[in-house]
Amino acid sequence: MEQLRSSLRDKPAARWGALALVSLTMFFAYMFVDVLSPVKILVEKELGWDSTVFGLYGGSEFFLNVFVGFLILAGIILDKMGVRFTALLSGSLMVIGAGLKVYALSATFRNGGIGYETISGLTGGIKNVFGWELPPTAMLASLGFMIFGCGTEMAGVTVSRAIVKWFKGKEMALAMGIEMALARFGVFMIFRISPWLSEKFESVQAPVIFCALLLCIGLLLYVVYWFMDRALDNELGDEEVEEEEPFKFSDLGKVFGKGIFWIVALLCVLYYSAIFPFQKFATEMLHYKVGFELKEASDIFSYFPIGAMIVTPFLGYFLDRKGKGATMLILGSILMIVCHMTFALYPFVSGSSSSTAVAFSAIILLGISFSLVPATLWPSVPKLIDNKVLGSAYSAIFWIQNVGLMSVPIIVGSVLDSVNKNVPEGQPKDYTLAMLIFASFGVAAFVLSAFLKIVDKKKGYGLELPNVKK
């Protein structure tokens, strides 16, 4: 016990420094995820993508994670190889995927550069099988996004496990809240920077290059973290080894066999399916639904993650000391429903100050919702799952979440093209049905949140209890 009390993670500067290293890399990753979201209309004009193609591109980030089961593999790698190896692997995959995406949008590739004919052949095959007409730029960008998606989702699992490792028995929810807040700030930054860079350099490739360079810096930060984490393991010695056993495939049964796990996993996929896919269409929705100019729409939506960024650490602090996690999940789902139903049904008038106020308020509510649910959800997992298979539990939840994150952009993009197939070019697109789809996920998440609170009260998992032990 003395050894534990004197370890690196008991030194505030060390554990918060480790948090900074892994959080900054996720900050860069979140910027890259939505780098094209605020310039969707410019992508359509410059690259010839329609909403279905854009949705397919957006969903491609999760394709390998879902159909190849890469996230399950990520959990196995994490459990067997540890945080350090998995962090470096995830960072490398993100950089490789980003590089492919940069090349896909380049003039060199578009003018028949290396690999153009091969990629064109692949697009023909996809059209024959699925009926989707993907431009070669979208095909290669999607392939790069798939590889990046493997890296970023693996990084998400790894960062969660790293925080548990460094903050066990301490300010875990606050630490996770700060990591999430910084990631949300990445969304704010890219919704501000991406339109500006695209306009300045007259190309949608410019912000992609910028974010790819940031990911290279993130990989270097993971290298620094590698040395810190090794020092912690050296101090913990056999104590940590006793807590973690070698991975066995039978361990997955301990994860999938728990009913409470499925409640949390389904809640996760429903909630995140109403958030991340929405981000990809939000700027265009605000442009057509509310009447904002493109840059104004992007700037206004950028405040969505600011609300989450500011509130999340405070919620983490509250959860650490007061609890009420299950109640916060319910409240977060209600706020999400209000936001999406507002954009679906409110009679917005272009140029109206009241419409602007309503749109801005709905976005802020969504930001608060985005604080309540993730800040509660992830610190709750260690209360439900044995630490010996925690990496597999996180990866399994991420895998189930990825099914929704892959499918929903494709569904929404197809719905938009179907609903607006007879709308003349240049006229506003109808986003009502798309927003109702997002709202329906919120309704389902609310039902599951209420059920989770009932189960927690009956079984005593401690979701309503504080994380900090007195």
Side-chain angles (χ1 to χ4, degrees), residues 15-31 94 155 158-160 162-163 167 174-186 218 221-222 225:
R15 67 175 179 268
W16 292 107
L19 177 68
L21 291 173
V22 296
S23 297
L24 279 171
T25 303
M26 293 308 296
F27 167 70
F28 300 146
Y30 268 60
M31 289 183 69
M94 286 192 282
T158 305
V159 168
S160 295
I163 293 175
F167 287 85
L174 176 60
M176 288 190 174
I178 290 174
E179 185 272 322
M180 291 176 198
L182 192 57
R184 306 301 181 255
F185 187 62
L221 294 179
Y222 273 161
Y225 174 81

Side-chain angles (χ1 to χ4, degrees), residues 53-74:
V53 171
F54 191 84
L56 288 166
Y57 150 79
S60 69
E61 178 188 355
F62 312 101
F63 182 85
L64 293 177
N65 290 325
V66 172
F67 290 108
V68 182
F70 186 83
L71 263 175
I72 300 298
L73 178 62

Side-chain angles (χ1 to χ4, degrees), residues 156-200:
V157 176
T158 305
V159 168
S160 295
R161 184 60 178 269
I163 293 175
V164 171
K165 180 176 183 178
W166 282 84
F167 287 85
K168 184 178 180 181
K170 303 184 186 301
E171 315 93 337
M172 188 187 301
L174 176 60
M176 288 190 174
I178 290 174
E179 185 272 322
M180 291 176 198
L182 192 57
R184 306 301 181 255
F185 187 62
V187 179
F188 168 81
M189 289 296 294
I190 203 57
F191 271 83
R192 292 280 175 157
I193 292 174
S194 191
W196 177 78
L197 286 174
S198 295
E199 181 180 350
K200 181 176 178 61

Side-chain angles (χ1 to χ4, degrees), residues 34-260:
D34 277 307
V35 65
L36 293 183
S37 299
V39 292
K40 178 179 181 291
I41 293 178
L42 298 179
V43 168
E44 291 180 355
K45 292 178 180 178
E46 183 178 330
L47 304 177
W49 301 5
D50 59 19
S51 291
T52 299
V53 171
F54 191 84
L56 288 166
Y57 150 79
S60 69
E61 178 188 355
F62 312 101
F63 182 85
L64 293 177
N65 290 325
V66 172
F67 290 108
V68 182
F70 186 83
L71 263 175
I72 300 298
L73 178 62
I76 295 173
I77 293 172
L78 179 57
D79 282 339
K80 288 185 70 70
M81 304 299 294
V83 171
R84 295 192 297 277
F85 176 86
T86 314
L88 290 179
L89 178 59
S90 66
S92 300
L93 289 173
M94 286 192 282
V95 170
I96 293 170
L100 277 177
K101 189 169 172 181
V102 168
Y103 178 62
L105 304 184
S106 68
T108 300
F109 178 74
R110 282 186 275 171
N111 291 328
I114 297 173
Y116 187 87
E117 293 300 324
T118 302
I119 296 299
S120 296
L122 287 175
T123 60
I126 288 177
K127 181 180 179 181
N128 292 334
V129 176
F130 299 103
W132 296 330
E133 294 190 35
L134 288 174
T137 52
M139 185 68 202
L140 185 56
S142 296
L143 288 174
F145 214 16
M146 288 180 196
I147 296 172
F148 167 83
C150 290
T152 191
E153 293 301 311
M154 176 183 269
V157 176
T158 305
V159 168
S160 295
R161 184 60 178 269
I163 293 175
V164 171
K165 180 176 183 178
W166 282 84
F167 287 85
K168 184 178 180 181
K170 303 184 186 301
E171 315 93 337
M172 188 187 301
L174 176 60
M176 288 190 174
I178 290 174
E179 185 272 322
M180 291 176 198
L182 192 57
R184 306 301 181 255
F185 187 62
V187 179
F188 168 81
M189 289 296 294
I190 203 57
F191 271 83
R192 292 280 175 157
I193 292 174
S194 191
W196 177 78
L197 286 174
S198 295
E199 181 180 350
K200 181 176 178 61
F201 293 95
E202 298 181 346
S203 171
V204 294
Q205 187 199 25
V208 180
I209 293 174
F210 174 74
C211 290
L213 293 174
L214 291 180
L215 287 174
C216 293
I217 297 173
L219 180 57
L220 294 176
L221 294 179
Y222 273 161
V223 172
V224 176
Y225 174 81
W226 189 92
F227 288 101
M228 287 192 66
D229 192 79
R230 186 177 67 170
L232 176 62
D233 277 355
N234 288 338
E235 289 188 349
L236 293 176
D238 295 336
E239 195 72 33
E240 196 76 11
V241 175
E242 291 176 3
E243 291 185 1
E244 299 184 12
E245 297 177 350
F247 174 84
K248 301 184 293 291
F249 277 99
S250 59
D251 288 342
L252 289 176
K254 300 175 184 177
V255 176
F256 291 114
K258 292 177 71 72
I260 192 70

Side-chain angles (χ1 to χ4, degrees), residues 187-418:
V187 179
F188 168 81
M189 289 296 294
I190 203 57
F191 271 83
R192 292 280 175 157
I193 292 174
S194 191
W196 177 78
L197 286 174
S198 295
E199 181 180 350
K200 181 176 178 61
F201 293 95
E202 298 181 346
S203 171
V204 294
Q205 187 199 25
V208 180
I209 293 174
F210 174 74
C211 290
L213 293 174
L214 291 180
L215 287 174
C216 293
I217 297 173
L219 180 57
L220 294 176
L221 294 179
Y222 273 161
V223 172
V224 176
Y225 174 81
W226 189 92
F227 288 101
M228 287 192 66
D229 192 79
R230 186 177 67 170
L232 176 62
D233 277 355
N234 288 338
E235 289 188 349
L236 293 176
D238 295 336
E239 195 72 33
E240 196 76 11
V241 175
E242 291 176 3
E243 291 185 1
E244 299 184 12
E245 297 177 350
F247 174 84
K248 301 184 293 291
F249 277 99
S250 59
D251 288 342
L252 289 176
K254 300 175 184 177
V255 176
F256 291 114
K258 292 177 71 72
I260 192 70
F261 164 82
W262 285 105
I263 297 174
V264 172
L266 291 175
L267 175 60
C268 177
V269 69
L270 287 167
Y271 183 81
Y272 278 94
S273 292
I275 295 291
F276 290 129
F278 173 62
Q279 289 178 186
K280 300 188 183 304
F281 297 93
T283 297
E284 185 181 66
M285 184 276 294
L286 290 171
H287 173 65
Y288 288 127
K289 190 84 176 176
V290 189
F292 296 134
E293 293 298 323
L294 285 178
K295 190 174 186 310
E296 183 184 12
S298 181
D299 287 346
I300 288 178
F301 186 74
S302 70
Y303 287 106
F304 152 66
I306 288 296
M309 184 187 74
I310 294 173
V311 176
T312 299
F314 292 103
L315 288 174
Y317 182 87
F318 181 85
L319 284 165
D320 279 333
R321 285 156 178 80
K322 302 295 182 181
K324 304 298 181 184
T327 301
M328 288 190 179
L329 290 174
I330 295 174
L331 180 58
S333 299
I334 292 173
L335 293 179
M336 183 172 64
I337 296 169
V338 171
C339 170
H340 290 320
M341 289 299 291
T342 297
F343 285 122
L345 303 176
Y346 186 82
F348 290 101
V349 177
S350 180
S352 167
S353 58
S354 61
S355 291
T356 299
V358 169
F360 189 79
S361 298
I363 289 170
I364 294 300
L365 285 179
L366 188 64
I368 296 173
S369 170
F370 201 26
S371 301
L372 287 164
V373 176
T376 303
L377 197 60
W378 301 120
S380 298
V381 177
K383 296 182 178 181
L384 308 173
I385 303 296
D386 193 320
N387 185 66
K388 297 173 184 177
V389 292
L390 193 57
S392 295
Y394 276 122
S395 65
I397 292 174
F398 277 124
W399 180 78
I400 295 168
Q401 172 187 315
N402 274 207
V403 175
L405 297 182
M406 181 193 70
S407 305
V408 173
I410 299 173
I411 294 170
V412 172
S414 300
V415 165
L416 284 172
D417 281 339
S418 177

